[in-house]
Coordinates of all heavy atoms in Angstrom, one line a residue:
T3 N -0.7 6.2 -21.4 CA 0.7 6.2 -21.6 C 1.2 4.8 -21.7 O 0.9 3.9 -20.9 CB 1.4 6.9 -20.4 OG1 2.8 6.9 -20.6 CG2 1.1 6.3 -19.1
C111 N 21.9 -1.1 11.3 CA 21.9 -0.7 9.9 C 23.0 0.4 9.6 O 23.1 1.4 10.3 CB 20.5 -0.1 9.6 SG 20.3 0.5 7.9
L143 N 11.6 -12.7 -8.0 CA 10.2 -13.0 -7.5 C 9.2 -13.0 -8.6 O 8.1 -13.6 -8.5 CB 9.8 -12.0 -6.4 CG 10.7 -12.0 -5.1 CD1 10.3 -10.8 -4.2 CD2 10.6 -13.3 -4.4
F151 N 15.0 1.3 -4.9 CA 15.5 1.2 -3.6 C 15.7 2.7 -3.1 O 16.3 3.5 -3.7 CB 16.8 0.5 -3.5 CG 17.3 0.1 -2.2 CD1 16.5 -0.6 -1.3 CD2 18.6 0.5 -1.7 CE1 17.0 -1.0 -0.1 CE2 19.0 0.2 -0.5 CZ 18.2 -0.6 0.4
L185 N 18.3 -6.2 -17.1 CA 17.7 -7.5 -16.9 C 16.5 -7.7 -17.9 O 16.1 -8.8 -18.2 CB 17.2 -7.6 -15.5 CG 18.2 -7.8 -14.4 CD1 17.6 -7.7 -13.0 CD2 19.0 -9.1 -14.6
G197 N 11.5 13.2 0.5 CA 11.6 14.6 0.9 C 11.0 14.9 2.2 O 10.8 16.1 2.4
R204 N 9.9 17.8 -1.8 CA 8.9 16.9 -2.4 C 8.7 17.3 -3.9 O 8.7 16.4 -4.8 CB 7.5 17.0 -1.7 CG 7.4 16.2 -0.4 CD 7.2 14.8 -0.7 NE 7.5 14.0 0.5 CZ 7.4 12.6 0.6 NH1 7.0 12.0 -0.5 NH2 7.7 12.0 1.7
E213 N 11.5 13.7 -14.9 CA 12.4 14.0 -16.0 C 13.1 12.7 -16.4 O 13.5 12.5 -17.5 CB 13.4 15.1 -15.6 CG 12.7 16.4 -15.5 CD 13.7 17.5 -14.9 OE1 14.8 17.1 -14.6 OE2 13.2 18.6 -14.7
P306 N -25.2 -7.3 12.9 CA -23.9 -7.6 12.2 C -22.9 -6.4 12.5 O -23.3 -5.4 13.1 CB -24.2 -7.6 10.7 CG -25.5 -6.7 10.7 CD -26.2 -6.9 11.9
R321 N -22.4 -9.5 16.2 CA -21.3 -8.9 17.0 C -21.1 -9.7 18.2 O -19.9 -9.8 18.7 CB -21.7 -7.4 17.3 CG -21.8 -6.5 16.1 CD -22.2 -5.1 16.6 NE -22.2 -4.1 15.5 CZ -22.4 -2.9 15.6 NH1 -22.7 -2.3 16.8 NH2 -22.4 -2.1 14.5
A330 N -12.2 -15.3 23.4 CA -11.8 -16.6 23.6 C -10.6 -17.0 22.9 O -10.1 -18.1 22.9 CB -13.0 -17.6 23.2
H342 N -14.1 -9.2 6.8 CA -14.9 -8.0 6.8 C -14.1 -6.7 6.5 O -14.5 -5.9 5.6 CB -15.5 -7.8 8.1 CG -16.1 -6.4 8.3 ND1 -17.3 -6.1 7.7 CD2 -15.7 -5.3 8.9 CE1 -17.6 -4.8 8.0 NE2 -16.6 -4.3 8.7

Side-chain angles (χ1 to χ4, degrees):
T3 178
C111 179
L143 295 174
F151 192 57
L185 290 172
R204 283 282 165 180
E213 291 170 2
R321 294 179 177 185
H342 168 78

